[in-house]
Amino acid sequence: MLFASCSGLVILLIIRRTNGDSVTQTEGPVTLPERAALTLNCTYQTSYSAFIFWYVQYPKKEPELLLKSSENQETNSRGFQASHVKSDSSFHLEKPSVQLSDSAVYYCVLR
């Protein structure tokens, strides 16, 4: 299996845009060794109240919700964490120690 034989973690990122609002996140593939720290940046612009989410899509699976914003509070799931900082319109995803099983596509989505 390709994923079992890889020595590094590969994370693919997609940028989402809707209705004049915008999201900017870390672009392209990110390759890390196991146990490395991960930060995926996500900032947004909107003229409405922001609900922002991180979704993850593992190989051959449907996208699933990983984290949703909680105003100016940190949220955690599966070892990932993110803080929604409204003052700088950010919701950066972090994990202190990645594993090969974290290889996936990560989406920052604004609703």
Side-chain angles (χ1 to χ4, degrees):
M1 297 211 161
L2 176 62
F3 288 103
S5 65
C6 289
S7 61
L9 169 73
V10 176
I11 297 175
L12 298 176
L13 304 152
I14 306 290
I15 296 173
R16 306 289 288 189
R17 242 177 235 228
T18 58
N19 300 330
D21 297 335
S22 67
V23 171
T24 303
Q25 71 178 76
T26 304
E27 293 186 39
V30 174
T31 304
L32 297 169
E34 285 192 274
R35 295 184 288 286
L38 169 71
T39 299
L40 300 179
N41 294 321
C42 177
T43 57
Y44 61 89
Q45 291 182 353
T46 183
S47 52
Y48 301 98
S49 293
F51 293 97
I52 193 154
F53 305 84
W54 276 102
Y55 281 84
V56 59
Q57 184 173 14
Y58 295 103
K60 300 181 183 179
K61 303 278 183 166
E62 297 292 322
E64 56 188 83
L65 180 63
L66 179 62
L67 292 171
K68 69 177 184 175
S69 64
S70 179
E71 188 172 326
N72 294 318
Q73 293 185 348
E74 189 172 279
T75 58
N76 298 283
S77 175
R78 302 181 208 172
F80 290 91
Q81 59 193 37
S83 294
H84 185 193
V85 182
K86 287 189 114 177
S87 61
D88 67 356
S89 301
S90 69
F91 192 51
H92 305 313
L93 183 67
E94 299 176 329
K95 188 169 187 185
S97 179
V98 295
Q99 303 299 316
L100 193 58
S101 60
D102 295 319
S103 295
V105 178
Y106 291 81
Y107 304 89
C108 184
V109 178
L110 179 65
R111 289 190 190 168

